[in-house]
Amino acid sequence: MRRKWVLLVAATTVAVTACSGQGGDGRGEIAAPPSDPAKVSGEITVLTNRTDQISDGTLEKYAAEFRKVYPGVKVKFEGLTDYEGETKIRMNTENYGDVLLIPNSLSLEQYPTFFAPLGKAGELSAKFDYTDHATVDGKVYGLANIGVANGFVYNKAVWAKAGITDWPATPEEFVADLETIKARTGAVPYYTNYKDGWPLTNWTNAIGSPECDPGAYDALAKTGKPWTEGSDLYTIDKLLYTIVDKKLAEPDPTTTNWEDSKARIGTGKVASMWLGSWAISQMRAAAEAAGEDPDDIGFMPFPAQKGGKFCSVLRPDYQYAVNVHSDKKAAARAWIDWYITKSGQAAAEGSISSVKGAPLPDTLKAFSDNDVTTIPQHQKNRAEVNEIDKASEIGITAQDYRQKLVDIARGAADGDMDSYFDELNGKWSEAQQTLGG
């Protein structure tokens, strides 16, 4: 009998408790790369957030190429519009695909419960970047297809129309530029994508940029009050709050739409959005589809400098994992390895390949030309940070607390920035003390 698992879903993460038994379903079995493609067979289901690539046939084209190498494997895609929310529900059962993207809300220590190990950290880290983000006890549970630089996707034509050609070097300059855009153009200066929610989580990936410190996220494990002036989280969240408070974002955040936002920025109706570099190609495609110049879409770093240079944190995008309950682990692993190393998807979308040694894509030429420093986000204390975050019930990698920040800034919730930061600091400090940090 297979072990049954119950998910206790909180605002911050997914907590897991075993109801009975020790399992006998191959838990812990390594989903190793198949040595002979001819011997791999079966139908696998791949859960994906790329509903657009299902609609336009892109993923089916990749599957067709994959079958030329693995003729016995059929790949079926299941697109989830609210990937984070729907996946968490699915993971209350054993039916969450054979291959899936690891949800952001899942804590690192839970990976072995839900996913099959893909190999030893020492071996896989020699081939792929970002394996430390999914390593537990020396085993890797997820492989990123691409790496992501973080910054503002922006419409250069709109910024130029407002008379702005240089990147803002401070948060204050950025806000002033948005005010100029509002005054001189008909564009919405900034678009929160509040309703879909998940884009707000990307602001956490700016941690490290203001101070150009790859250890900034790790430092949260020993920081009692992360929302104190001078800290990265204070700088990051103050910028978002100020944008909304000064009415430089869309008038009604509850009506935003992610897919629609691509066309809005592509046609100059929106000036900027904070996202990962993976979004550049999507926005350019939307601009071209609308008859606009795709080269109008640019990418700028967080508005802060250290030693006269901008910094952007490099991190993995979603990591691909194999469902620990899958009875098609060999086929599932075959798809992951082929998609990452052979499909050409990263290059086709102007993304940073996770394969070691791959060059930066043309989409980040502006970063190269302007000598932007790219830094990793250290993961040594990630489990400890996640434990504090879970106990605090804040959810720095989830959307809820920033949705509340936006609500306070637009007057839809009580309080102000200072009172909310005091509340967050109190929760974090209490959780840290409770856990003995």
Side-chain angles (χ1 to χ4, degrees):
M1 180 178 178
R2 286 188 172 183
R3 185 188 305 186
K4 301 297 182 183
W5 298 90
V6 178
L7 290 161
L8 305 177
V9 183
T12 55
T13 189
V14 184
V16 185
T17 56
C19 293
S20 63
Q22 294 300 311
D25 52 2
R27 196 177 309 282
E29 172 191 352
I30 291 179
S35 57
D36 185 354
K39 293 182 179 179
V40 183
S41 63
E43 179 176 295
I44 60 171
T45 297
V46 177
L47 302 188
T48 178
N49 62 337
R50 293 305 300 272
T51 55
D52 58 325
Q53 291 195 340
I54 291 178
S55 300
D56 66 16
T58 298
L59 287 178
E60 285 300 332
K61 290 178 183 177
Y62 287 134
E65 291 298 313
F66 172 75
R67 288 200 73 175
K68 293 178 181 179
V69 182
Y70 291 91
V73 181
K74 181 179 180 181
V75 182
K76 183 177 71 173
F77 300 100
E78 188 171 343
L80 305 178
T81 303
D82 177 13
Y83 185 84
E84 291 284 331
E86 293 181 59
T87 305
K88 283 198 293 186
I89 294 171
R90 288 280 290 273
M91 291 173 74
N92 278 289
T93 72
E94 297 178 0
N95 178 27
Y96 45 96
D98 298 286
V99 176
L100 69 156
L101 312 173
I102 297 178
N104 289 321
S105 56
L106 203 68
S107 61
L108 184 64
E109 62 270 20
Q110 293 173 298
Y111 286 12
T113 299
F114 294 101
F115 313 120
L118 303 179
K120 295 180 179 179
E123 296 173 0
L124 290 176
S125 64
K127 301 176 182 178
F128 301 100
D129 289 323
Y130 317 113
T131 56
D132 55 334
H133 287 250
T135 297
V136 182
D137 295 332
K139 294 179 181 178
V140 178
Y141 289 85
L143 291 176
N145 178 41
I146 59 173
V148 176
N150 293 280
F152 286 97
V153 180
Y154 72 110
N155 189 299
K156 292 185 288 185
V158 172
W159 284 63
K161 184 178 179 181
I164 307 164
T165 55
D166 294 331
W167 288 342
T170 66
E172 293 75 20
E173 286 181 15
F174 185 83
V175 170
D177 285 347
L178 295 190
E179 290 178 323
T180 301
I181 289 169
K182 182 176 181 179
R184 296 182 181 178
T185 76
V188 172
Y190 184 80
Y191 198 78
T192 66
N193 268 304
Y194 170 102
K195 185 178 180 182
D196 286 276
W198 62 263
L200 287 170
T201 68
N202 194 65
W203 285 87
T204 295
N205 296 319
I207 295 174
S209 287
E211 293 298 315
C212 202
D213 179 8
Y217 190 91
D218 265 1
L220 293 174
K222 305 301 180 185
T223 303
K225 296 181 178 181
W227 287 269
T228 299
E229 188 169 1
S231 70
D232 277 10
L233 268 173
Y234 180 94
T235 301
I236 293 162
D237 285 340
K238 179 183 178 181
L239 177 56
L240 175 59
Y241 181 95
T242 303
I243 290 169
V244 178
D245 180 53
K246 289 183 174 291
K247 303 188 186 307
L248 300 172
E250 68 282 345
D252 184 1
T254 64
T255 63
T256 62
N257 180 285
W258 163 245
E259 291 298 334
D260 184 54
S261 73
K262 300 177 189 179
R264 285 179 175 271
I265 196 169
T267 57
K269 293 178 181 177
V270 165
S272 56
M273 293 187 279
W274 174 260
L275 292 166
S277 56
W278 55 265
I280 302 171
S281 59
Q282 293 188 39
M283 306 306 175
R284 288 183 175 177
E288 189 169 20
E292 302 292 339
D293 186 354
D295 288 336
D296 283 345
I297 301 300
F299 196 65
M300 72 172 77
F302 190 88
Q305 291 186 330
K306 198 73 172 180
K309 291 185 177 182
F310 292 101
C311 287
S312 179
V313 175
L314 288 183
R315 63 170 182 84
D317 193 35
Y318 273 120
Q319 293 153 309
Y320 288 82
V322 174
N323 183 345
V324 72
H325 303 290
S326 171
D327 58 2
K328 299 291 188 297
K329 289 185 176 67
R333 178 61 190 277
W335 168 257
I336 290 175
D337 278 27
W338 181 88
Y339 187 68
I340 293 174
T341 65
K342 302 295 184 183
S343 72
Q345 183 269 343
E349 297 193 23
S351 299
I352 305 169
S353 172
S354 67
V355 177
K356 277 201 175 301
L360 283 179
D362 290 342
T363 51
L364 291 176
K365 186 176 185 301
F367 273 32
S368 301
D369 291 347
N370 289 281
D371 203 21
V372 175
T373 302
T374 55
I375 60 174
Q377 196 177 69
H378 291 169
Q379 300 293 299
K380 181 181 178 181
N381 299 335
R382 184 182 172 195
E384 187 178 352
V385 173
N386 287 349
E387 189 177 12
I388 296 169
D389 186 42
K390 176 183 172 183
S392 73
E393 298 185 344
I394 293 173
I396 59 173
T397 59
Q399 64 202 42
D400 302 70
Y401 101 83
R402 283 207 179 88
Q403 284 179 323
K404 184 175 179 181
L405 179 68
V406 170
D407 285 342
I408 294 171
R410 67 190 181 96
D414 293 337
D416 56 23
M417 186 186 77
D418 290 339
S419 66
Y420 190 45
F421 285 1
D422 285 345
E423 176 188 333
L424 294 172
N425 279 331
K427 288 181 176 180
W428 190 270
S429 181
E430 182 180 356
Q432 194 178 62
Q433 292 172 15
T434 299
L435 294 169

